[in-house]
Amino acid sequence: MVLKVEESTAHSLPPPTIPVRPETRTCNLPVELALMCEIPHLFCLWLYGLFEKQLTLLEEAEGGFDQFTRSYKSYGVHRMPDNSLVFKEWAPAAEALFLTGDFNGWDNFSHPYAKKDFGKWELHIPPKEDKTPAVTHNSKLKVVVHTRMGERLYRISPWAKYVTRHEKSVIYDWVHWDPPQPYIHKHPRPQKPRSLRIYESHVGIASPEGKVASYSNFTHNVLPRIKDLGYNCIQLMAIMEHAYYASFGYQVTSFFAASSRYGTPEELKELIDVAHSLGIIVLLDVVHSHASKNTEDGLNSFDGSDSCFFHSGPRGEHSLWDSRLFNYSGWEVLRFLLSNLRWWMEEYRFDGFRFDGVTSMLYHHHGIGSGFSGDYAEYFGLHVDEDSIVYLMLANHILHTLYQDCITIAEDVSGMPTLCRPVQEGGLGFDFRLAMAIPDKWIQILKEFKDEDWNMGNIVHTMSNRRYGEKCIAYAESHDQALVGDKTLAFWLMDKDMYTNMSALIPMNSVIDRGIQLHKMMRLLTHGLGGEGYLNFMGNEFGHPEWLDFPRVGNNESYHYARRQFNLVDMDHLRYRQLYAFDRDMNRTEDKYGWLAAPPAYISAKHEGDKVIVFERANVIFIFNFHPTNSYSNYRVAVGPPGKYKIKLDSDEIHYGGHGRLDHNTEFFTEPMEFSNLPNSMLVSKLYYLLP
């Protein structure tokens, strides 16, 4: 139940204050670090010094980061005003480079690159006699690399903007993308939202049909649903081209190419443009933590060496992911990755990024076999990869300098301090981190505890356990929990009953009743208490009945589970529609009152015997009764602002699959009676138990 004050003269509770120790330093370290021991303090100052040094080097060698990050305009292939073409690559270990393709009948030697300084190679091709480009739009190309060992390798340019795969081939082809009528964006980027409500999405599975869905399908069929649901941000997964569909986009082969399996680059641009017209911002799930081991259609061994973009030897291999690890200290690697971020912002007009695998980047051990307890020795020392951290500082500094409203989110399970503090404070510069402990806690509870044994204090601790001043994106479940091998919350709650008992035309059995009520309450508690932003994976808002599994050898290449059954929501007689309605109204209520943008909640009750949780945030009172059998009359709850309160969101409403036991005309008046360290309190007439 969510209660909102109707008449009040008070303001929100103030955030906690922490004394600041005076410091003399070049960067303004956050309060928390200022109160720590000197080793972490000095460690962060040292990292900041490395960051400043890189900025200075960029200024001296490249004229600044603005020019440096526009390298996508010179590397790869570019058409000049006279229709001549310029090709440029970095292949320091190569003996010679040639260009071959449709344009020259796949002659391996007719078009050699000229060797330049610092491992760079260039090729100029004049226009044809009719003044048209020698390489036409949609024609295929290959870079032919001759190594010092006498090998001849066929490669795709790392800067390729479009790659495709023939139906019967396993290798992707580099396709020259230069459309005669490129897409022109019609709508400006929306302003950065006050509260971030993210719809985590995968274009390929965004259809009830067992196939790879398209950008156009997402634009016309999914965007309207996202808008209706009240989400103001989309996080697009698996956009950067990946040869293996079942990798979920996390084994990237072509970093500048939007995946062709969903359509053309112009169709992706239209998707983002239409989202902007609806007031929805779009984030790219960017994978700079590692890269696919593929050679013919990936970055690996591009110039024939073990290194090039990656560390050589064991440091360049991720043992669990079976992938290559970037050498973030390499000048050309920085050029490639930072320009990659700029490319997606400029060419496609994304609004920011969710950085995948940040934990792997932060530490030399990549988080493998490491449990993070919160001890600061785990975050500061020789096991920290300073090259990766400086890269992330550069990335965030450049993005936020060039794009004021850019949003960056870190996927970090370790809890690295200052990850989400500005770079000028000695932090890494992310806006948010994912609150990854919350979904793990919900799954653990459902797996291991009976309803009557749920620990309210433990749940509240998990929801609120975050560093003050470092923002978190809370979620009850994401794509990780939807994957085969695990189960969604809906599946954990209702399992096989979802196939036979979700009809609203028959009475709910106890399994469906419990599942629907807990599904809503777990989400609302996470939404209200868990962070400064909220995320949901597509389909989970209505309790998608099946897991997610991409076509692979192990399932006979089936697309049956690589889809989202939005058709279930469109059937009036199914209860999926009720869960959808609650998710929609939860987001719309937040949009009205803005609790995600408010300071952390004041928790006034986490009663173990009653199984009741009460907290206040943004002048909104959240009240949860998780008890499976007990209801309460005239239950006293603590209140900050005095006044009259009314129900604004009630998970027990009939159209949400509830039982309609609360009277929404009831007015609740505060009394100047101190309770739970707040100056006011009020009696709530009824708190109904979970099941009738």
Side-chain angles (χ1 to χ4, degrees):
M1 181 197 306
V2 174
L3 300 175
K4 181 66 176 73
V5 63
E6 295 280 287
E7 301 170 8
S8 175
T9 57
H11 299 286
S12 298
L13 295 171
T17 56
I18 306 173
V20 181
R21 183 184 66 186
E23 292 287 350
T24 302
R25 51 187 180 269
T26 57
C27 63
N28 223 354
L29 287 173
V31 168
E32 187 171 58
L33 275 183
L35 298 173
M36 288 180 202
C37 63
E38 288 301 316
I39 292 177
H41 184 184
L42 294 173
F43 189 84
C44 287
L45 285 171
W46 174 62
L47 288 174
Y48 187 82
L50 295 177
F51 159 76
E52 283 192 317
K53 181 180 178 181
Q54 281 286 21
L55 276 185
T56 302
L57 289 173
L58 286 174
E59 190 69 39
E60 293 172 350
E62 302 279 347
F65 63 74
D66 184 33
Q67 187 65 29
F68 187 64
T69 56
R70 292 182 186 271
S71 294
Y72 61 84
K73 291 190 172 184
S74 57
Y75 283 72
V77 54
H78 295 278
R79 178 162 53 89
M80 300 293 103
D82 65 350
N83 278 341
S84 63
L85 296 170
V86 178
F87 294 79
K88 186 175 182 179
E89 301 294 347
W90 177 66
E95 184 69 21
L97 253 65
F98 297 86
L99 185 71
T100 188
D102 293 334
F103 78 102
N104 66 0
W106 294 96
D107 189 319
N108 288 333
F109 302 101
S110 63
H111 288 79
Y113 285 73
K115 189 173 184 178
K116 303 294 183 181
D117 293 335
F118 308 112
K120 298 172 186 177
W121 302 80
E122 287 188 8
L123 168 63
H124 294 250
I125 304 179
K128 294 188 289 189
E129 290 185 5
D130 62 1
K131 305 300 182 182
T132 60
V135 181
T136 58
H137 171 60
N138 255 335
S139 60
K140 293 181 181 179
L141 298 166
K142 284 280 187 182
V143 177
V144 184
V145 179
H146 288 252
T147 72
R148 292 165 188 170
M149 302 297 292
E151 298 172 291
R152 184 190 300 169
L153 308 174
Y154 295 91
R155 296 290 187 255
I156 289 176
S157 168
W159 303 79
K161 298 175 177 64
Y162 190 54
V163 298
T164 63
R165 181 179 65 85
H166 189 273
E167 187 177 345
K168 295 183 179 179
S169 174
V170 295
I171 303 297
Y172 274 74
D173 295 308
W174 175 18
V175 175
H176 179 51
W177 190 256
D178 187 17
Q181 294 181 321
Y183 185 86
I184 299 174
H185 291 268
K186 303 176 183 66
H187 305 283
R189 286 189 173 103
Q191 288 187 334
K192 189 176 183 177
R194 175 185 66 166
S195 299
L196 203 59
R197 300 182 299 274
I198 304 172
Y199 198 76
E200 186 184 33
S201 305
H202 186 291
V203 169
I205 68 169
S207 164
E209 300 179 62
K211 64 178 185 180
V212 178
S214 67
Y215 294 125
S216 293
N217 167 73
F218 197 94
T219 301
H220 298 106
N221 297 324
V222 183
L223 284 181
R225 293 183 187 272
I226 297 172
K227 176 66 175 178
D228 179 62
L229 279 164
Y231 292 94
N232 55 21
C233 176
I234 300 167
Q235 180 180 302
L236 280 183
M237 310 173 64
I239 294 298
M240 302 168 78
E241 189 60 272
H242 47 293
Y244 184 43
Y245 189 42
S247 75
F248 219 152
Y250 293 123
Q251 292 280 350
V252 176
T253 46
S254 291
F255 283 74
F256 285 81
S259 182
S260 60
R261 55 172 54 87
Y262 318 127
T264 68
E266 311 312 299
E267 288 168 336
L268 174 58
K269 292 174 187 177
E270 181 186 23
L271 186 162
I272 295 169
D273 197 27
V274 173
H276 286 168
S277 75
L278 298 173
I280 300 172
I281 65 171
V282 188
L283 307 182
L284 175 67
D285 198 348
V286 69
V287 186
H288 281 184
S289 50
H290 65 127
S292 168
K293 273 189 172 180
N294 287 19
T295 54
E296 281 197 52
D297 54 7
L299 285 183
N300 193 19
S301 301
F302 173 69
D303 63 355
S305 72
D306 180 45
S307 52
C308 198
F309 290 95
F310 309 109
H311 289 290
S312 61
R315 191 179 176 188
E317 308 246 352
H318 197 293
S319 59
L320 287 186
W321 295 344
D322 193 32
S323 54
R324 297 303 312 271
L325 297 172
F326 288 104
N327 176 9
Y328 300 103
S329 65
W331 191 261
E332 294 301 321
V333 178
L334 287 177
R335 182 195 305 278
F336 181 79
L337 294 175
L338 292 172
S339 296
N340 187 236
L341 297 174
R342 190 82 185 270
W343 161 258
W344 293 108
M345 293 291 290
E346 292 284 345
E347 184 71 13
Y348 288 92
R349 297 182 64 82
F350 278 95
D351 302 288
F353 303 94
R354 180 264 201 186
F355 281 72
D356 178 71
V358 169
T359 304
S360 175
M361 299 175 70
L362 295 176
Y363 311 98
H364 290 299
H365 54 63
H366 309 300
I368 300 172
S370 300
F372 295 94
S373 65
D375 190 300
Y376 284 112
E378 297 166 349
Y379 307 117
F380 306 103
L382 296 178
H383 55 288
V384 175
D385 190 333
E386 68 273 12
D387 294 335
S388 299
I389 289 181
V390 170
Y391 164 68
L392 292 172
M393 294 171 76
L394 281 170
N396 278 305
H397 172 73
I398 291 168
L399 287 170
H400 288 102
T401 302
L402 294 173
Y403 312 100
Q404 183 178 357
D405 287 344
C406 178
I407 294 171
T408 58
I409 302 171
E411 186 210 27
D412 170 44
V413 73
S414 74
M416 167 68 82
T418 75
L419 185 74
C420 298
R421 295 303 302 174
V423 172
Q424 61 267 29
E425 292 184 358
L428 273 68
F430 286 98
D431 296 292
F432 299 89
R433 70 180 346 132
L434 293 176
M436 301 181 72
I438 294 176
D440 291 344
K441 175 57 64 178
W442 284 129
I443 295 295
Q444 180 203 12
I445 289 171
L446 294 178
K447 280 183 178 179
E448 300 178 8
F449 296 98
K450 298 177 181 178
D451 293 351
E452 57 268 25
D453 296 330
W454 285 24
N455 186 304
M456 300 294 104
N458 186 253
I459 293 172
V460 166
H461 173 74
T462 302
M463 294 287 164
S464 56
N465 183 26
R466 56 188 184 274
R467 290 184 176 86
Y468 184 81
E470 294 200 50
K471 296 179 180 179
C472 289
I473 301 294
Y475 56 105
E477 53 184 338
S478 69
H479 71 273
D480 287 325
Q481 288 71 41
L483 288 170
V484 65
D486 203 341
K487 294 195 292 189
T488 63
L489 291 183
F491 230 39
W492 277 112
L493 288 163
M494 295 177 278
D495 207 69
K496 63 182 184 298
D497 282 72
M498 298 187 74
Y499 295 114
T500 56
N501 292 290
M502 285 295 278
S503 173
L505 303 178
I506 60 174
M508 282 191 288
N509 66 17
S510 59
V511 172
I512 296 297
D513 198 348
R514 170 183 176 271
I516 284 179
Q517 312 320 325
L518 282 177
H519 195 270
K520 293 177 291 185
M521 292 171 68
M522 292 159 72
R523 275 171 155 65
L524 180 58
L525 182 60
T526 303
H527 206 301
L529 189 58
E532 289 70 37
Y534 179 76
L535 178 143
N536 166 67
F537 178 63
M538 63 188 308
N540 286 0
E541 71 277 1
F542 63 83
H544 197 278
E546 291 173 337
W547 55 87
L548 177 62
D549 189 16
F550 288 87
R552 54 189 173 84
V553 174
N555 65 11
N556 296 318
E557 303 296 336
S558 172
Y559 284 86
H560 178 76
Y561 296 107
R563 60 193 180 119
R564 297 283 92 179
Q565 299 181 62
F566 292 114
N567 54 303
L568 297 175
V569 180
D570 298 331
M571 300 180 187
D572 293 344
H573 69 284
L574 295 182
R575 296 194 183 277
Y576 298 104
R577 190 178 185 88
Q578 297 169 343
L579 293 176
Y580 176 99
F582 179 77
D583 195 84
R584 176 197 64 209
D585 290 353
M586 177 174 66
N587 283 323
R588 291 180 179 180
T589 305
E590 195 287 327
D591 186 58
K592 187 173 182 179
Y593 300 118
W595 59 71
L596 288 170
Y602 181 85
I603 302 154
S604 59
K606 40 187 176 179
H607 199 290
E608 299 302 338
D610 294 348
K611 301 299 180 194
V612 169
I613 295 172
V614 182
F615 60 89
E616 178 184 318
R617 192 174 183 188
N619 290 343
V620 176
I621 309 296
F622 293 78
I623 306 172
F624 297 84
N625 179 11
F626 279 99
H627 204 288
T629 56
N630 290 354
S631 62
Y632 308 101
S633 299
N634 294 322
Y635 199 89
R636 186 166 294 277
V637 299
V639 180
K644 178 180 70 176
Y645 285 75
K646 294 197 70 174
I647 297 172
K648 298 299 180 181
L649 183 66
D650 171 16
S651 66
D652 196 46
E653 285 197 66
I654 291 174
H655 66 280
Y656 300 148
H659 301 281
R661 295 172 289 186
L662 295 177
D663 181 1
H664 286 217
N665 293 318
T666 303
E667 296 177 339
F668 303 90
F669 295 90
T670 61
E671 304 173 64
M673 180 184 298
E674 185 177 348
F675 192 68
S676 294
N677 297 318
L678 288 180
N680 302 290
S681 60
M682 64 184 177
L683 294 175
V684 178
S685 53
K686 282 291 183 182
L687 280 185
Y688 285 99
Y689 47 80
L690 187 61
L691 297 178

